[in-house]
Amino acid sequence: MRRTLLALILSITMLIPGCTSGSDYEFNGGEPMVTGKAPDFTLIDQNGDEFSLSSTKGNVTVLSFFFANCPDICITSSLNIKFVLDQMGEQNASQVSVVSVTVDPWRDTPAVAASFAENKSSGWPHLTSPDAGDENRTYPDLEGVWGDYLVDLKMVETGDERKYLIDHVLPTYMIDRDHQIRTVWLGTDWDPSMFQQDLEHLVKE
């Protein structure tokens, strides 16, 4: 009887998510500042269509932040993500959704976001506010997203035609198929192959 009970317990344990060998995986990325279920939001994409983060559930999601006038960091991040997706192959890459959210709604209208997406990424959703493009107003819809994902930013005057740049912490979150935040990559000084390992692990979970 004891042997039968033990065998039954072991069988059940093997079926419980997180109790497989995959639960021992240590992410190359950092411990996320935000944990649990990814906060949902709805903005508009570069085509002017509404887009909700929750629509990516079922895929692994990469959530990043950008602004079109960024001279370096945002471009590097987008190109790195694009490179990793290309390296993963079509089958794995098709199970990954990438979403980028602007930190500069004062300038990043859908048209501006569309130009950035076309030139610096594979055209995945680049999100902004429906009212983007007005330098004299606030954007509580985006401020809510920045707050939920702990994106710290400030305007820095440049003295040239750009007027200002956005100095911001650049988190790139990886979110699993159930929309649980699993790891975060900060900045752009990271090895794309290690980023790819984390992403492929989540795809195969």
Side-chain angles (χ1 to χ4, degrees):
M1 177 67 178
R2 290 181 60 188
R3 289 181 180 177
T4 302
L5 181 59
L6 179 58
L8 179 61
I9 292 172
L10 288 173
S11 298
I12 292 173
T13 301
M14 291 296 289
L15 294 173
I16 298 175
C19 292
T20 64
S21 59
S23 63
D24 296 329
Y25 179 82
E26 293 187 8
F27 285 98
N28 298 311
E31 188 71 23
M33 304 89 73
V34 181
T35 58
K37 187 174 182 180
D40 193 21
F41 55 81
T42 299
L43 296 166
I44 61 169
D45 64 17
Q46 64 267 38
N47 301 312
D49 299 323
E50 281 194 351
F51 185 96
S52 297
L53 184 68
S54 57
S55 68
T56 68
K57 191 171 183 180
N59 268 10
V60 175
T61 303
V62 175
L63 176 63
S64 67
F65 296 86
F66 81 101
F67 68 103
N69 275 280
C70 181
D72 42 37
I73 297 176
C74 303
I75 297 172
T76 302
S77 177
S78 292
L79 293 176
N80 280 343
I81 294 171
K82 181 180 184 299
F83 173 79
V84 167
L85 292 176
D86 290 341
Q87 294 298 112
M88 288 177 64
E90 185 176 349
Q91 183 174 357
N92 283 340
S94 67
Q95 300 177 65
V96 177
S97 296
V98 183
V99 179
S100 295
V101 177
T102 186
V103 293
D104 186 10
W106 302 277
R107 292 180 296 196
D108 286 349
T109 61
V112 172
S115 178
F116 183 90
E118 180 180 356
N119 295 314
K120 303 300 190 300
S121 76
S122 294
W124 58 71
H126 284 65
L127 308 183
T128 188
S129 171
D131 303 311
D134 185 347
E135 295 187 13
N136 298 311
R137 59 160 294 163
T138 59
Y139 290 92
D141 48 358
L142 278 159
E143 289 170 1
V145 177
W146 304 333
D148 285 341
Y149 288 93
L150 300 181
V151 179
D152 185 23
L153 57 94
K154 63 180 179 180
M155 288 185 178
V156 178
E157 293 185 2
T158 63
D160 59 25
E161 69 276 3
R162 287 175 299 190
K163 296 183 181 179
Y164 65 87
L165 294 175
I166 302 292
D167 182 12
H168 66 104
V169 175
L170 189 74
T172 300
Y173 289 94
M174 288 188 183
I175 302 168
D176 67 22
R177 297 181 190 275
D178 293 324
H179 262 213
Q180 298 295 311
I181 297 174
R182 301 293 293 277
T183 189
V184 65
W185 289 75
L186 297 176
T188 58
D189 187 20
W190 41 263
D191 183 343
S193 65
M194 297 178 73
F195 187 92
Q196 182 177 338
Q197 286 175 13
D198 283 358
L199 204 52
E200 290 182 337
H201 168 75
L202 292 174
V203 166
K204 294 174 182 177
E205 268 192 341

